Amino acid sequence: MLLVLDNCEHLLRECARLCQQLLRQSPGLHLLATSRSPLGIAGEQVLPVPTLSLPDNWGARLPRGHARAADYADYEAVRLFADRAAAARPGFELTDENAATVARICWRLDGIPHAIELAAARVRLLSLEQILERLDDRFRLLGRRAADVLPHQQTLRATMDWSFDMLSAGEKALLLRLSVFARGRSLEAIEAVCRGEPVEEWEILDLLSQLVDKSLISMEPDPAGQPRYFMLESLWEYTRGKLRDSGEMEAVRDRHLHYFMHWAETAEPHLQDAEQAKWLARIAEEHGNLRFAIERASESPEQGESGLRLLVALTRYWEVRSRLHEGREHFQTLLATPAGQGRHALRAAALGGAGRLAWCCDDDAASRVFYSEAIAIFRELGDERNAAMLTAFLGFVERNEDRLEAAEACFDDAASVADRLGDPRIAVVAISGRGSIAADRGDYLAARALKEEALEMFRELGDRWVHGLLSWSLARVCIGGGDLEIADRHLRELAGITRELGNRWIVPYVIEGFAQIALKLSRNERAAILFGASQMALTSLGLGVSPAERREHEADMVLLRERLEPATLDRLTAQGAEMSVEEAMSEALREE
């Protein structure tokens, strides 16, 4: 005999005792029990019931016009929505036009059948786009449904309330505090942020385990195999509202900010050593939490200093992972707070970070302002090392603006301090800068020697990112000097580093380098395609070019116009502009 006990969670102990008695007295009996958490009796086999299958995050974000109904018809969540929507509004069908929007709705609702049914019922009154827009306030949207269902299933909020009310005080407190995180949470972060009456730190692991057993929290390994804990978006919205109502939201958010500030400061040195790829991936995993922490610092004047420390620690991450505009916006916001004012080391470090990101975006005017003030503050404080490094960086800004003598003075000044302090990093930047000046003056032999010296020094330091930047710089010098085989080798090395570290913003410049090589070899059609691709990639990433780079590009295009018919050139550059960044890079790396 098979006996089914449905929805045991509100009578868990009683159901467990009953099942034990029945199994002892009836050896041929099989029991199937559904419950939010296991019964915890001998012989029990737990089969987790997942949410309905969904398109992945990329698929759910496909723009209208790029999705077909057939692409989504096999997903359970989409099929359920379409079925319930047709019941609510006869004639509703999943079409190529609406498939992506339906997928987005199902994604936002985590594939939860109850939530999807409630949302689908709204098609009687709202368009799909209106339903999607209102999911930020889903507890008002997903209201009463048919009267023949249980009270706790009438609305999404009632379902959440019913489930929440069955928790212990400790489980409730921990679940609410978990809502200050964005997406995943590590155990270490949970223990640091969520402790406090009525939850002791030593209790957190057991309470977390209980929430996992009750299917309120799920555990998935991160790329390194370490456990991370997640909650569904609907539950996150619900618990975040209750945490706000409890009055302890601000205190928990402050603990969250301080934890991630210290965590980022621990990570920062590793972003410049041989482990940088691993740490970049770890920071990317925590990106949502870091963004939430920065938002807290931006909203609270008392937390401005912690926010600035966090921004400074993340500067290299934003640079390498191409989050340049995001980082610049955060610096602009927090530098304007009371903590960002004054003549102190933290402001100087933040100005230096803002200057670096501005330089990456080819916003030399802003970079000059940030660097100049930071250098002045560091010098006032007697910090020669940081002042010298930023002076070397300022040299590249001066060079971009064709102020070669001023740039050379910056590099000489930085080199002098590097020699006195024995700092190889400052020395490398200064040597590379001198190489760029030599190239600008047409002395490619000297430029190549200086660039190779700088690159060799950085190989020893193990900083793959700066190694890549130096490879790019050396490739440009070799193209100018006609050493195309060596230039090709360094561009390919840089392309490998961009993939290894997850960088995107330097890719258009790599493509441009291959276009210049093709032009030098009179492979004019290939050059035209790659030039078109590189310019479109720059535009898509919101990047510009320096005056020197613009003049170089315009000279290359003049040469192409001499070699190709106007219509042919326009067709080929347009062909390149239609490529995605990934397609263009693959084309650039293709061996001929």
Side-chain angles (χ1 to χ4, degrees), residues 153-420:
Q153 294 177 340
Q154 290 281 342
T155 69
L156 184 61
R157 182 177 295 280
T159 301
M160 297 289 184
D161 286 338
W162 182 75
S163 186
F164 185 78
D165 289 343
M166 288 191 292
L167 300 177
S168 68
E171 290 171 334
K172 289 178 179 178
L174 178 58
L175 187 63
L176 296 189
R177 292 169 188 174
L178 288 172
S179 69
V180 300
F181 293 88
R183 292 292 297 157
R185 306 138 180 87
S186 68
L187 178 59
E188 293 77 15
I190 293 171
E191 289 174 334
V193 174
C194 297
R195 65 176 183 267
E197 183 63 30
V199 178
E200 299 295 334
E201 185 174 349
W202 59 268
E203 294 181 286
I204 287 179
L205 184 58
D206 287 339
L207 290 172
L208 189 61
S209 177
Q210 292 163 25
L211 293 176
V212 171
D213 285 344
K214 292 177 171 63
S215 304
L216 295 171
I217 299 295
S218 62
M219 190 278 287
E220 299 175 18
D222 66 14
Q226 297 301 308
R228 285 180 70 80
Y229 299 89
F230 298 83
M231 64 170 65
L232 297 178
E233 184 177 339
S234 295
L235 180 60
W236 181 83
E237 294 273 6
Y238 173 84
T239 52
R240 196 166 178 82
K242 292 189 77 68
L243 180 65
R244 189 178 297 109
D245 295 341
S246 75
E248 71 166 4
M249 169 74 89
E250 306 308 316
V252 181
R253 289 185 72 193
D254 286 346
R255 292 201 296 271
H256 178 273
L257 165 60
H258 294 156
Y259 171 82
F260 280 102
M261 175 196 72
H262 291 297
W263 183 86
E265 289 181 333
T266 299
E268 182 184 17
H270 297 292
L271 299 180
Q272 301 182 51
D273 65 21
E275 292 189 304
Q276 61 188 219
K278 180 179 76 174
W279 280 91
L280 285 166
R282 291 186 64 181
I283 294 174
E285 189 78 22
E286 296 289 8
H287 180 261
N289 283 310
L290 295 165
R291 189 185 69 247
F292 270 22
I294 294 167
E295 286 178 4
R296 173 57 182 162
S298 302
E299 296 167 3
S300 174
E302 297 81 10
Q303 301 300 331
E305 179 180 338
S306 297
L308 282 172
R309 287 173 59 181
L310 177 55
L311 297 188
V312 170
L314 292 176
T315 301
R316 172 63 79 88
Y317 166 73
W318 281 321
E319 176 182 344
V320 178
R321 284 300 180 97
S322 308
R323 295 185 174 273
L324 306 175
H325 302 296
E326 176 185 348
R328 293 187 69 185
E329 289 173 6
H330 291 320
F331 273 119
Q332 181 179 358
T333 299
L334 284 174
L335 279 168
T337 65
Q341 305 304 304
R343 309 290 287 181
H344 50 78
L346 182 56
R347 175 173 172 81
L351 288 167
R356 179 69 178 180
L357 296 181
W359 175 80
C360 292
C361 292
D362 281 299
D363 187 351
D364 292 321
S367 187
R368 173 190 295 281
V369 172
F370 289 132
Y371 279 153
S372 297
E373 184 180 351
I375 291 166
I377 294 174
F378 278 132
R379 284 176 176 165
E380 290 170 14
L381 298 174
D383 188 340
E384 281 190 297
R385 188 180 303 274
N386 281 313
M389 180 60 84
L390 295 185
T391 298
F393 288 164
L394 179 60
F396 284 98
V397 176
E398 301 282 17
R399 174 184 174 262
N400 282 351
E401 297 184 333
D402 293 328
R403 294 161 49 90
L404 298 188
E405 291 184 1
E408 193 168 32
C410 286
F411 296 136
D412 289 344
D413 183 31
S416 175
V417 176
D419 289 342
R420 186 166 64 255

Side-chain angles (χ1 to χ4, degrees), residues 545-576:
V545 292
S546 69
E549 289 169 335
R550 187 175 299 108
R551 284 196 304 272
E552 191 174 280
H553 176 76
E554 289 171 354
D556 290 334
M557 295 307 294
V558 167
L559 185 55
L560 267 181
R561 291 188 189 99
E562 294 174 356
R563 297 178 178 179
L564 296 173
E565 292 293 330
T568 301
L569 177 59
D570 291 344
R571 175 178 58 80
L572 293 172
T573 54
Q575 180 181 334

Side-chain angles (χ1 to χ4, degrees), residues 32-47:
L32 174 62
T34 72
S35 176
R36 190 181 62 181
S37 56
L39 298 178
I41 63 177
E44 181 179 25
Q45 297 182 38
V46 178
L47 178 65

